[in-house]
Amino acid sequence: MQKTLLIILDGLGDRPVKAFGGKTPLEAASTPNMDSLAASGVCGVMNAMPKDLYPTSEEAHLAILGYDFKADHPGRGVLEALGIGVKLKPDELVFRVDFGTVDKDLNLIDARAGVIESVKDLCKAVDDVEVDGVKFKIYPSLLYRGVMVLSGNPVKNYLKKSNSAVSDTDPHKAGPHKLGVRVLHPKSFGDSKDGKTVARALERYQYLTHEILNEHKINKKRVKKGKLPANFILTRGGGHIKDIESFKDKFGLKSACIAGAPLYKGIAAYMGMKVINVKGATGKLDTSVKAKVKATLKALKKNDFVFLHIKGTDMAAEDYGDAKMKKEFIEKIDACFAGLNKVKNVVISVTGDHATPCELKDHSNDVVPVLISGTSISDNTKKFGESECAHGGLGHIYGKDFMKILLGG
Ligand code: ZN
C-alpha cells in the first residue's frame, strides 16, 4: 500500500533578501535533495489559512492536516498540554503560560523573564493551589513556558453552560510583548456567575503566586546576579479539550508524528496520532534532524501516514531575524534528506505552515512552497523555492484542500 510522509518546515516561506542577491533563504540555500524531490514531483505554493487572517502555527497545522481551524481548535493551552503529556478532561480549563517579569505595579518588563532556562522548580512552588473552589495545577514546559490547568465546580459549570474560556492576561496583543503595559485582568465571557468566579479566582491566584515567586530563592538569586526574576504567570490561549474526529477515522490512515516542540506533538496527539519521542529532537536550532529522519523512516514501516515537523526554520526567522541562519539551517535539513528520493512507495510532501520573513521577525501571509513527490504527476519545476514553485503544476492552493490533493495525488 502506498504510504505518505508529510514534512512541515515551520515558517519556511520568506521574502527576497538583498544579501542573497534577491533570493529567499530557501532559494539561496544549497538543497540538492529537496530539489531532486521537486524535480521528480509536482510543486505549487500554499496559504494554509485564508489570506486575511494572521497565520498562527496551530491554526495553520489544523488546516493543513484536514481540520477546521476554528471549530476544531481547542485553544493553544490544550495543545501545549497534550504536547507535554498532560492528560486532560473536558471540564478543565487549560492555558498556555509564560513566566514573565513584572514591576511592583504589575507592568510587564519581560514576557520571558530574560528567557529563563527552566521553570520546573518555580512550578513546584505554585502548584496545587485552590482559590474559591477553583483548583490550579501547573506544569513546566520548554524554557519559560508552562501549562496551567483549572478544575473544580465553578470551572465545570462555566464550561458546561458557555463552552467558553477566559481571556488572556498576557498583554501580547497590545504589541509584541509591549513593555510597560499592565498585565490584563482575566475576563469570562457572557454573564455566567461561575465564569466570573473562575476569572476572579485566576486573578487572585496570579497575585498570590506573584508574591510567592518574588520570594523564591531562585528569583532572589537571579536578581542578585542582575537577571530578571520570573515573578508572574502570564496566561493565554485558554480552552478545553474537544472531542474531534480522529485522524484515523477521518482518513482511514494509521498515523504517527515526529516533532521536537511540544505544540506540534500536542496537535498530533489531539488528532490521535502516535507521537514518537526522538532523542536529540529539541524543537530548536540544535535539534538532530538526522535522528528525526531516521525515526521517520522507521515509523513509515508501521504507519500509513507520518508527519515530521521541524521548528528551527521558524526560530531562525522569528527569534533572530537572521536570514543566513535560516539558510544554513535549511541546508542542515537538506543534508539529512539524502536518499529520501529513493524511498519506494511513499508519497513525500515538503512544505511550511506559513511564511516567517526574516525582515519581519513574524509570521506573514506570504505563500509557502509545496512539493509532492512519489505520485505519477510531475511538472517542470527543477528547484524547490518560492519563485520556481509559484509556476508549478499545483498552482496556488489553500490548507483546507491540501490533504485531498496529497492523498488523492
Ligand atoms: Zn509555524
Side-chain angles (χ1 to χ4, degrees):
M1 184 189 158
Q2 185 142 300
K3 303 197 170 198
T4 307
L5 167 58
L6 169 61
I7 302 171
I8 296 187
L9 309 181
D10 208 289
L12 176 65
D14 212 303
R15 293 179 181 172
V17 177
K18 226 181 183 175
F20 298 154
K23 290 181 173 178
T24 67
L26 173 61
E27 288 166 354
S30 165
T31 54
N33 295 307
M34 286 190 255
D35 293 346
S36 160
L37 290 169
S40 68
V42 62
C43 295
V45 289
M46 175 165 73
N47 282 101
M49 292 170 61
K51 281 184 92 171
D52 55 337
L53 296 177
Y54 177 87
T56 66
S57 285
E58 61 271 27
E59 288 168 312
H61 275 79
L62 285 169
I64 292 170
L65 287 161
Y67 287 79
D68 184 323
F69 66 87
K70 272 194 189 141
D72 294 332
H73 196 337
R76 171 90 179 231
V78 167
L79 299 172
E80 293 274 354
L82 294 173
I84 56 168
V86 178
K87 298 258 179 293
L88 298 172
K89 297 191 193 106
D91 56 7
E92 291 172 333
L93 182 56
V94 191
F95 295 93
R96 173 207 162 149
V97 303
D98 290 332
F99 279 68
T101 309
V102 298
D103 67 13
K104 61 178 183 8
D105 299 318
L106 303 185
N107 295 319
L108 191 62
I109 294 173
D110 186 346
R112 298 168 178 181
V115 193
I116 186 169
E117 310 69 34
S118 165
V119 291
K120 211 170 155 191
D121 289 330
L122 293 176
C123 279
K124 274 185 205 152
V126 295
D127 192 20
D128 267 329
V129 175
E130 187 170 333
V131 180
D132 298 338
V134 177
K135 295 184 193 90
F136 293 85
K137 290 282 298 170
I138 191 142
Y139 304 87
S141 179
L142 289 182
L143 302 169
Y144 49 87
R145 304 183 190 97
V147 164
M148 186 193 281
V149 181
L150 280 62
S151 61
N153 280 333
V155 179
K156 202 174 179 173
N157 295 337
Y158 176 47
L159 292 181
K160 208 187 282 169
K161 276 183 222 147
S162 75
N163 201 28
S164 241
V166 168
S167 65
D168 296 353
T169 60
D170 184 336
H172 58 104
K173 280 185 188 141
H177 298 299
K178 210 169 179 182
L179 306 184
V181 175
R182 191 198 181 279
V183 296
L184 307 174
H185 299 283
K187 289 196 171 66
S188 57
F189 296 92
D191 50 11
S192 153
K193 215 177 116 213
D194 289 303
K196 289 193 171 79
T197 303
V198 174
R200 202 172 47 236
L202 171 59
E203 192 159 36
R204 285 186 60 197
Y205 172 76
Q206 284 177 308
Y207 293 166
L208 177 79
T209 53
H210 174 53
E211 304 287 322
I212 296 169
L213 292 170
N214 260 337
E215 294 305 315
H216 198 284
K217 62 176 189 289
I218 287 178
N219 279 329
K220 293 259 185 206
K221 228 191 234 171
R222 287 181 69 81
V223 172
K224 230 182 225 171
K225 284 187 181 164
K227 291 182 179 175
L228 292 170
N231 66 2
F232 199 88
I233 307 174
L234 299 155
T235 55
R236 62 200 281 196
H240 58 99
I241 195 158
K242 294 179 178 182
D243 190 14
I244 56 160
E245 193 180 14
S246 72
F247 194 84
K248 177 93 204 277
D249 287 344
K250 212 182 233 310
F251 299 108
L253 300 173
K254 190 179 172 204
S255 60
C257 161
I258 285 143
L263 174 63
Y264 309 93
K265 293 184 187 181
I267 290 168
Y270 180 53
M271 296 171 180
M273 288 187 189
K274 182 177 169 57
V275 177
I276 297 168
N277 290 309
V278 177
K279 202 169 168 235
T282 61
K284 295 185 284 185
L285 286 145
D286 64 356
T287 197
S288 173
V289 180
K290 199 176 163 192
K292 290 172 84 169
V293 172
K294 196 176 164 201
T296 299
L297 293 174
K298 197 175 161 201
L300 274 167
K301 294 199 171 104
K302 287 191 184 162
N303 293 278
D304 310 314
F305 184 97
V306 177
F307 159 44
L308 167 62
H309 181 269
I310 299 174
K311 183 69 181 168
T313 27
D314 179 64
M315 286 186 83
E318 187 167 356
D319 295 355
Y320 302 100
D322 189 332
K324 187 168 167 274
M325 189 190 278
K326 188 169 179 179
K327 170 185 166 280
E328 286 170 1
F329 189 74
I330 291 168
E331 288 173 342
K332 170 179 161 174
I333 295 169
D334 192 78
C336 300
F337 285 179
L340 272 192
N341 57 352
K342 295 200 178 69
V343 179
K344 294 259 180 302
N345 296 324
V346 179
V347 171
I348 300 176
S349 179
V350 183
T351 187
D353 52 346
H354 51 76
T356 308
C358 291
E359 65 176 52
L360 296 181
K361 292 180 87 174
D362 200 357
H363 302 183
S364 79
N365 285 318
D366 296 82
V367 293
V368 292
V370 189
L371 74 81
I372 298 177
S373 171
T375 69
S376 55
I377 309 161
S378 64
D379 58 15
N380 291 323
T381 317
K382 294 281 177 286
K383 195 175 172 349
F384 189 50
E386 290 86 340
S387 313
E388 284 244 11
C389 289
H391 304 292
L394 290 175
H396 181 183
I397 61 172
Y398 284 90
K400 65 179 174 51
D401 303 315
F402 178 76
M403 283 299 287
K404 264 178 271 163
I405 295 167
L406 179 63
L407 300 176

